[in-house]
Amino acid sequence: MLDLVFRAARAVLPGGERAVQVGVADGRIAAIVPLSAPPLAAASAVTLADDEVLLPGLVDAHVHVNEPGRTEWEGYATATAAAAAGGVTTIVDMPLNSIPATVDVPSLAVKRAAAAAAQPWVDVAFWGGAVPGNAGELRALHDAGVVGFKCFLLPSGVDEFPPLDPAGLLEAMTEIASFGGLLIAHAEDEAVLAAAPSLPTGGARRYADFVASRPAAAEDSAIALLLDTARRTGCRTHIVHLSSASALPAIRAARSAGLPLTVETCPHYLTLRAEEVPDGATQFKCCPPIRDDANRSRLWDALRAGDIDMVVSDHSPCTPELKLLDAGDFAAAWGGVASLQLSLPVVWTEAAKRGVPLTEVTRWMASAPAALTGLTDRGLIAVDRQADLCVFAPDTTWTIDPAALRHRHPVTPYANREVTGQVRATYLRGAPTAPNAGALTHADSVTSAR
Ligand SMILES: [Zn+2]
């Protein structure tokens, strides 16, 4: 006897959209049969409405939760509530902006305890950090369950998470390769930034000046260093939040030469354009920056061609004060766009305009990030996977109201934007998970599986 059956005229399965019944037992997908087959017997049933599609729960592999230490910016309770509301059933927490940073096993234990104490609405997994002097900690962190290691190649913005220089990067990647681990990097070159036009002090309100201060060449140069170090060490390498399309030829060449390389980009680089960012609108500030429309089109082409593997949020909130919204100063404002709850609708809105099918968007946002992080028990609607599911209405049009956002400080560049595609329900291990909506369940454990 199954616990639950979903009946869906449209469900995104690994082989494409199908009309199916999905049976759930003990939190896992136990059976998938055609919708036209005799009904699966189950204790309860959910029949999707005609305008709904059953998707695998999304896996967001790039989220900054900041708890403990900067919980006033964002915490596990609020971040995972936003995730659940956005159809995301697993987040992978970045190692920095919390205190401690996740750079050794004791700090990982502190992070895990904080996540568990917050009774998260979705599963949480963890990245470790590679910082100067901690190469000796990396294997133990890997054994303790982090999914990989994040590093910066320029100052990260917080003192407790310093960047690696080229020698430090080589040391870390050599060590990580020795146990088959994964290195992920924020790729901007400090020397290129230092040579770029600097922002006026005391009121850098022009967005064009901000973009000019963070040129694509800074990304391209740092990516060249990463690719070279990957070649020397054989270390699995992943480029986070690619913004510069001019790095794509080098990425393509490295992949066709067999380098174990993956690449992500983010909703804001795919849906927002430098030409539209108002001066002083620091809710649009992130690093690397949102670039021009021609660059954005090339990122879409690269996604469709498979040169970019996935789309993750880089949810990186802070307090409204640190965004300096009144001053509108791009030099001093904290950089980061917090869009965990909105990733699917904003990306789908643009994808649909471009004729990209939902199956492809689902791969970028669920199965690809699950595979990257080794969370291979989720990310697909398939037998034996965790029954993490999202009920999505792809044709419903609605307007983003910041008041409806669940993360701690609902500052967003998407305010009042009309989008198409609405998350109607989210299921974690076969149970609905969404704050203040219907029958509630919390995640009953913090996931740390690799
Ligand atoms: Zn980030």
Side-chain angles (χ1 to χ4, degrees), residues 62 64 94 150 241 314 316:
H62 195 149
H64 296 266
M94 281 291 164
K150 168 86 172 278
H241 53 52
D314 193 8
S316 186

Side-chain angles (χ1 to χ4, degrees), residues 62-64 94 96-97 150 152 186 240-241 264 287 314-316:
H62 195 149
V63 177
H64 296 266
M94 281 291 164
L96 72 158
N97 299 348
K150 168 86 172 278
F152 272 69
H186 179 124
V240 298
H241 53 52
E264 71 184 34
C287 298
D314 193 8
H315 180 82
S316 186

Side-chain angles (χ1 to χ4, degrees), residues 15-40:
E17 275 196 24
R18 301 278 185 277
V20 290
Q21 307 173 54
V22 176
V24 175
D26 297 327
R28 299 209 158 250
I29 296 172
I32 301 175
V33 302
L35 188 60
S36 56
L40 291 173

Side-chain angles (χ1 to χ4, degrees), residues 28 42 66 75 94 97 101 126 138 159 166 184 208 210-211 214 257 282 330 371 398 417:
R28 299 209 158 250
N66 310 339
M94 281 291 164
N97 299 348
F126 298 90
L138 302 179
D159 292 340
I184 71 174
F210 175 62
V211 177
R214 307 212 62 122
T282 51
F330 279 104
W398 57 288
R417 206 173 158 93

